[in-house]
């Protein structure tokens, strides 16, 4: 039972445009979410996070939006750059249960 | 800090052999995680420790897999006996808490022939 889902395995975006990566979750007990970026042959690196008490968190070109009623979060990258081409994972934390769940990942390709 | 250290970086072994992967977390981090990445299943959490104690091992595929953390600076993931379907990249990560960013090691690429 996948509690955190990234339904798009891949996404292709033109350089300079906005990239939107989506993530859905099934358990309302998640209280914290994180996004990671992974380049080939490297470990994932932390990108941005958001607490369930917020609906938006911004860091430079990266913004994460959380819609609790829809159990949906999204990562916006604007403007997209070629260096953003990577696999992006979202993850949710259920603090009370000490549970951490990752999505399957979305491969983002930025075309010049 | 040197970051999370994993060894070996590459391991090629034959089916049926025992494989031991090693991890040294970042000093001061209370949480240690083991992940497996495959094309089919993406990034899977296998097990994680808090203060050297295993908290959630529900991702461990079967009894052939075991993980230990004898002290705060060392952890092992052992596969015995190994099978070709265990071929994957195994990552170790550490963090200050579940909700803090995890720092990943470079991974161990395991190939079981």
């Amino acid at each position: 039972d996948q509690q955190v889902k990234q339904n798009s395995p891949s996404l292709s975006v033109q350089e300079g445009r906005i990239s939107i990566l989506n993530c859905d979750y099934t358990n309302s007990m998640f209280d914290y979410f994180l996004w990671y970026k992974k380049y080939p042959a490297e470990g994932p690196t932390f990108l941005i996070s958001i607490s369930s008490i917020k609906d938006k968190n911004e860091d430079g070109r990266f913004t994460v939006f959380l819609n609790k009623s829809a159990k949906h979060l999204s990562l916006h990258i604007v403007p997209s750059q070629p260096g953003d081409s990577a696999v992006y994972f979202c993850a949710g934390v259920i603090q009370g249960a000490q549970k951490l769940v990752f999505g399957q990942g979305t491969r983002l390709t930025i075309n010049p | 800090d040197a970051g999370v250290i994993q060894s070996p970086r590459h391991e090629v072994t034959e089916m049926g052999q025992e494989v031991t992967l090693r991890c040294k977390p970042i000093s001061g981090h209370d949480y240690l995680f083991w992940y497996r990445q495959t094309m089919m299943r993406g990034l899977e959490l296998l097990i994680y420790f808090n203060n050297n104690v295993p908290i959630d091992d529900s991702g461990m595929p079967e009894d052939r897999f075991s993980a230990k953390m004898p002290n705060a600076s060392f952890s092992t993931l052992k596969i015995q006996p190994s099978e070709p379907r265990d071929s994957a990249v195994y990552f170790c990560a550490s963090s200050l808490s579940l909700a803090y960013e995890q720092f990943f090691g470079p991974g161990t690429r395991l190939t079981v022939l």
Side-chain angles (χ1 to χ4, degrees):
Chain A
D1 178 27
Q2 190 71 31
Q3 297 189 61
V4 175
K5 297 182 181 181
Q6 294 176 258
N7 292 316
S8 299
S10 63
L11 176 68
S12 186
V13 175
Q14 207 70 24
E15 181 179 359
R17 298 288 187 101
I18 183 170
S19 296
I20 301 176
L21 297 104
N22 295 304
C23 184
D24 296 298
Y25 59 98
T26 58
N27 191 329
S28 60
M29 298 302 291
F30 282 112
D31 56 9
Y32 203 82
F33 298 91
L34 308 98
W35 283 92
Y36 286 83
K37 179 168 75 172
K38 185 184 180 307
Y39 292 120
E42 294 183 12
T45 55
F46 172 76
L47 194 56
I48 193 169
S49 62
I50 188 167
S51 166
S52 62
I53 63 173
K54 295 186 174 182
D55 54 18
K56 176 182 176 182
N57 188 25
E58 193 171 354
D59 184 2
R61 296 186 298 113
F62 303 91
T63 303
V64 56
F65 295 92
L66 176 61
N67 182 333
K68 289 184 286 294
S69 61
K71 295 190 180 63
H72 176 84
L73 65 156
S74 60
L75 174 68
H76 292 214
I77 306 172
V78 55
S80 302
Q81 300 174 354
D84 297 329
S85 295
V87 178
Y88 290 78
F89 293 95
C90 70
V93 179
I94 305 175
Q95 285 283 20
Q98 295 212 69
K99 188 78 177 175
L100 172 67
V101 183
F102 272 74
Q104 307 95 309
T106 297
R107 181 178 300 278
L108 175 65
T109 302
I110 306 301
N111 302 308
Chain B
D1 199 317
V4 175
I5 299 172
Q6 289 187 248
S7 65
R9 292 294 309 274
H10 302 273
E11 176 81 32
V12 180
T13 190
E14 293 190 346
M15 182 174 63
Q17 297 297 305
E18 177 180 295
V19 174
T20 299
L21 311 181
R22 297 173 176 79
C23 176
K24 177 178 167 54
I26 292 173
S27 176
H29 282 188
D30 295 328
Y31 285 79
L32 183 140
F33 307 81
W34 281 102
Y35 292 89
R36 176 171 69 175
Q37 185 186 21
T38 61
M39 290 292 289
M40 291 293 292
R41 299 175 67 87
L43 190 65
E44 300 175 270
L45 175 63
L46 301 177
I47 184 171
Y48 78 87
F49 296 82
N50 177 211
N51 292 321
N52 313 338
V53 176
I55 301 299
D56 183 355
D57 65 354
S58 59
M60 295 286 263
E62 48 198 274
D63 292 344
R64 298 184 298 106
F65 285 69
S66 63
K68 294 182 180 180
M69 192 165 186
N71 57 62
S73 59
F74 183 67
S75 177
T76 60
L77 177 68
K78 186 174 294 186
I79 308 172
Q80 165 63 20
S82 58
E83 297 181 3
R85 61 191 167 122
D86 302 330
S87 297
V89 181
Y90 291 81
F91 290 102
C92 175
S94 70
S95 70
L96 289 171
S97 83
L98 269 184
Y100 274 77
E101 63 174 293
Q102 295 178 30
F103 293 84
F104 282 75
T108 295
R109 180 172 294 278
L110 173 65
T111 303
V112 183
L113 304 174

